[in-house]
Amino acid sequence: MDGEDICELNLTDLAKLLAARELSSAEAVGAALTRLERLEGGLNAFITVLREQALARAKKADEEIARGNYRGPLHGVPVTIKDMFETAGVRTTGGSKILADWIPQTDSALVERLHAAGAIIIGKTNLDEFGHGGSSTLSHFGPVHNPWNIDRIAGGSSGGSAAAVATGIGPLSYGTETGSSVRRPASYCGITGFKPTFGIISRHGSFRGAWSQDHVGLFGRWVKDITLGLDPVAGFDGRDPGSVRQEQPTYAAHLDANVKGLRVGVLRRFLEEVNPEVKQAFDASVKVLAGAGCEIIDIDVAELKYAAMTSMMTSSAESAGVNRRWFRARHQDFVPHVSRGLAAGMTITASEYLTVQRARQRIREALARTYEKIDIIAAPTTGRVAPLLSDGLKGNGDDTRHASYNHSNLLRFPSMLGLPGCSVPCGINIEGMPIGMQLIGNWFADQTVLNAAFAYQSTTDWHFRRPALAGR
Amino acid sequence: MNTRDRLAHRLALLEGVGLSPAEIDSVVSEIEDFERIVIELEEFSQDTAWISLQAQPTGKKA
C-alpha cells in the first residue's frame, strides 16, 4: 500500500491495520504529511504543521504497539486540530495576528486526551479569527479554500479542519462550534461533522467565542469514524464550567443502524427559501430515512423564527466580553470585520443581554415540547452549497437580523440550545459541490443522532465521494 | 433621549478605542440593528420566565 492509498483509508480501517501492525504509524503519519504538503498551496488549510514532532510521536507509537501496549483506535493515527486548542510548546494563534507568535505552556483538555489516546497531531488548522465567522475567510493567515473547488469557501469557522478531512490529510479533525462552525464546513466540504450536546467534550484550554454556545466537535468521513474519535475525548472535566458528569463514553460500541420507529421531524416552513437542488437532495434523503423505518412527521416550531437573531445577539455580547481587554488594547490587530462585530457587541447593555436570554429560554421551552413528539429533527445543513470566495461574507446567505422562516434559524438553533447535531453528505449539485443534511437530537440524545446518521450512511454512498483534488 | 444622544451614549462605551469615522459608521449601523432586534425579542419573550442560574457547591446536598 503506497502513501496515496493510505490517505484514502477511513479511521475505522486505518485503526485496524495499525492495531494488527500491518501498517505503521510512521507510514500513516508520513503519508498524511506528504499529502498535506502537496495540497496546502491550494487549500491554505493549515497554520502550523508539526512534521518533526509528529514523526517522532509516530515512531514512539509504533514501539508501544509492538510491545503490546495498544491504546485504542486513535493510537498512531494522524489527526488535525483547529488552531483554537492550546498546545504546549507549539504556537496557538486562534487565526489572529494578536497571538501569531504565542506559545502556550500547557495543553488544552482536548489535546491532553488525544495524547493519552495515542493520536498523532500533525497540524493545526486555519479558521476564522477566534472562531468569529462562518466562512474561514476571516483569518489573519488568509482564507481556506474549498477542496471541491478552490474558488469557493470551505465554510467556517472550522474550515481548515473540514478541508483537511475532505482531502485525506488525516481521517479525523477536531474543531469548535459556536453558531454552525462544525456542521456548515462539514456540509460545504462533503464530509461528516458532529457537535455533541453542550458539556460532553471539555473546552478547557480552547479560546472562547461565546461561552454559553461554544462546543468542541469533530469531523470524519463517516459517522463510524466520528464515534471512534468521540469516545476518547468525551467526559467530565471540572476545569470547564459547562462540562457535564457523564458515564464512560461508548458511542462506538453502541452504534446501531436499526432506527425502525424513530420519529423524524421536518420543519417544512423553514425550507421555502432553500436552494432547489439542496431541497431536492434533502427530500430524497428523508425518503431514505423513511425507507429505514423512520416515521416522518411534519412539524412547525414558530419560535424558531427568532433563533438566528437570538444566537447572534448572544454571541455578540459574550464574545465582546471575552475579547474586551484585547480589543481595547489592540483593536486594529483584529481582522476588520471581526473588530467591527466586537465593537458593536461591547455596546450591548446587561439588560439587553438578559432580554435576549429570556427569548432564548422561550425557544428552549418550545424545542423541549417538540422533542416530546419526535426523536430527531432533519433539515438541510445549509440552504445552499459553498459560495464563491468572490461573493464575500454575504455568500452564505445568512439572515441573523430578522425574525423569519429563513433557513439560518435551522443552522443556528442547535448550538444556541446545546443540542447534538450531525451533518452528513447527502448529494452533489450540478456544479459538483456537496450538499449536507443535518440531524438534530434532544439534549443528551447523542447516540440517537449518531445512530440515525449511521443508518443513513449504511444505505447511501455520498460519504464515499471525494474531491478531485484529493486524487493522485 | 433622542436617537443621536442614544447612539452617543452607546459609543461612549467604546471610549479610548481609536475607531476611524468609517468604523464608527459601521458600528452605528450594527447598533441600530441590535436595538431593533432587542425590541422584537422583548415582545417575543414577554410571558417567559426569567432564567435564574445559581452555582451550587459541588458534592453537597441540603
Side-chain angles (χ1 to χ4, degrees):
Chain A
M1 187 180 288
D2 70 12
E4 294 295 321
D5 290 333
I6 294 170
C7 290
E8 292 309 308
L9 294 169
N10 61 38
L11 171 60
T12 310
D13 294 334
L14 177 60
K16 280 181 194 160
L17 293 173
L18 289 169
R21 296 180 62 204
E22 291 174 25
L23 184 72
S24 72
S25 174
E27 289 172 298
V29 168
L33 285 166
T34 299
R35 182 168 282 195
L36 187 163
E37 285 150 9
R38 176 165 72 82
L39 300 182
E40 177 60 1
L43 295 174
N44 196 33
F46 287 85
I47 292 175
T48 302
V49 179
L50 304 170
R51 172 171 263 282
E52 301 311 317
Q53 185 188 98
L55 289 171
R57 284 182 184 272
K59 186 166 177 278
K60 193 176 160 213
D62 285 330
E63 290 166 359
E64 286 178 353
I65 295 170
R67 287 199 302 270
N69 185 19
Y70 180 64
R71 301 193 205 179
L74 292 191
H75 202 171
V77 171
V79 303
T80 60
I81 61 171
K82 187 178 185 179
D83 204 15
M84 287 280 270
F85 299 104
E86 292 176 22
T87 39
V90 175
R91 75 168 175 165
T92 302
T93 70
S96 178
K97 182 180 180 182
I98 290 167
L99 295 180
D101 301 311
W102 183 56
I103 298 176
Q105 295 186 332
T106 54
D107 284 326
S108 57
L110 177 82
V111 171
E112 285 174 357
R113 292 186 183 201
L114 286 175
H115 284 161
I120 314 293
I121 298 169
I122 63 168
K124 303 190 74 179
T125 58
N126 200 356
L127 67 156
D128 289 307
E129 186 173 39
F130 296 125
H132 297 309
S135 63
S136 291
T137 63
L138 300 174
S139 169
H140 172 64
F141 300 89
V144 180
H145 297 259
N146 192 302
W148 294 78
N149 179 340
I150 60 170
D151 293 330
R152 292 177 182 266
I153 69 168
S157 62
S158 310
S161 286
V165 170
T167 50
I169 302 171
L172 201 63
S173 189
Y174 293 84
T176 60
E177 174 169 310
T178 302
S180 56
S181 292
V182 168
R183 288 167 294 123
R184 188 198 314 254
S187 177
Y188 281 0
C189 292
I191 58 169
T192 305
F194 178 68
K195 175 206 82 66
T197 298
F198 186 79
I200 293 283
I201 305 178
S202 172
R203 303 165 301 172
H204 174 72
S206 63
F207 298 125
R208 292 286 183 272
W211 62 84
S212 75
Q213 299 187 152
D214 292 339
H215 300 69
V216 176
L218 56 165
F219 300 90
R221 292 185 192 164
W222 68 322
V223 73
K224 193 163 184 183
D225 288 2
I226 297 282
T227 60
L228 293 174
L230 177 60
D231 282 343
V233 301
F236 177 71
D237 180 0
R239 298 169 296 179
D240 176 355
S243 185
V244 292
R245 294 189 183 277
Q246 54 200 284
E247 293 176 3
Q248 180 75 22
T250 53
Y251 297 104
H254 288 95
L255 198 59
D256 185 353
N258 181 3
V259 289
K260 207 167 181 182
L262 192 76
R263 299 166 302 170
V264 179
V266 178
L267 292 148
R268 296 242 170 246
R269 286 190 73 181
F270 287 89
L271 307 185
E272 284 165 14
E273 294 170 28
V274 166
N275 172 280
E277 286 178 304
V278 172
K279 191 164 179 301
Q280 193 177 8
F282 172 69
D283 287 341
S285 301
V286 170
K287 283 182 185 160
V288 170
L289 291 172
C294 295
E295 181 188 355
I296 311 300
I297 303 168
D298 281 351
I299 55 172
D300 186 17
V301 185
E303 289 85 349
L304 282 176
K305 288 190 296 181
Y306 296 84
M309 59 163 61
T310 303
S311 165
M312 182 276 293
M313 288 294 292
T314 301
S315 189
S316 293
E318 293 185 5
S319 58
V322 168
N323 290 285
R324 188 181 172 84
R325 289 178 68 182
W326 279 338
F327 181 77
R328 287 201 166 277
R330 301 180 60 177
H331 94 276
Q332 72 284 359
D333 287 337
F334 280 91
V335 171
H337 181 81
V338 175
S339 176
R340 282 196 295 276
L342 293 174
M346 284 180 66
T347 71
I348 297 172
T349 65
S351 67
E352 287 171 335
Y353 174 75
L354 292 170
T355 296
V356 172
Q357 298 317 298
R358 199 180 185 198
R360 188 180 183 181
Q361 176 63 11
R362 179 162 177 199
I363 301 169
R364 184 183 288 120
E365 288 170 2
L367 260 295
R369 286 192 300 273
T370 301
Y371 277 112
E372 289 171 5
K373 300 173 207 146
I374 57 161
D375 299 302
I376 60 169
I377 291 172
T381 308
T382 55
R384 54 180 72 177
V385 299
L388 292 164
L389 276 156
S390 57
D391 289 340
L393 295 176
K394 291 190 174 164
N396 277 330
D398 294 340
D399 182 359
T400 59
R401 304 297 165 117
H402 301 94
S404 71
Y405 279 98
N406 185 283
H407 177 274
S408 301
N409 293 293
L410 302 188
L411 191 55
R412 300 284 295 232
F413 84 84
S415 288
M416 182 182 75
L417 301 180
L419 298 165
C422 188
S423 177
V424 293
C426 74
I428 305 271
N429 83 344
I430 196 164
E431 298 164 305
M433 296 305 296
I435 298 167
M437 169 177 70
Q438 60 175 350
L439 304 169
I440 310 298
N442 202 348
W443 288 274
F444 299 105
D446 299 68
Q447 190 74 57
T448 304
V449 170
L450 294 164
N451 288 353
F454 188 48
Y456 180 77
Q457 294 189 326
S458 296
T459 52
T460 58
D461 66 356
W462 298 110
H463 56 289
F464 292 130
R465 312 291 175 95
R466 296 279 175 273
L469 195 66
R472 285 172 190 272
Chain B
M1 197 184 286
N2 63 35
T3 304
R4 187 177 167 160
D5 288 347
R6 206 175 62 246
L7 288 172
H9 184 75
R10 292 213 185 243
L11 289 172
L13 293 168
L14 298 169
E15 194 180 358
V17 180
L19 298 173
S20 69
E23 286 174 317
I24 290 173
D25 284 348
S26 168
V27 171
V28 164
S29 166
E30 290 277 300
I31 290 171
E32 286 171 340
D33 258 359
F34 287 2
E35 288 185 340
R36 177 184 52 75
I37 288 170
V38 169
I39 290 168
E40 281 191 56
L41 292 181
E42 191 165 30
E43 177 71 23
F44 166 67
S45 60
Q46 237 177 14
D47 297 326
T48 308
W50 289 97
I51 317 166
S52 174
L53 294 173
Q54 200 178 113
Q56 304 291 347
T58 53
K60 292 191 177 177
K61 287 181 183 174

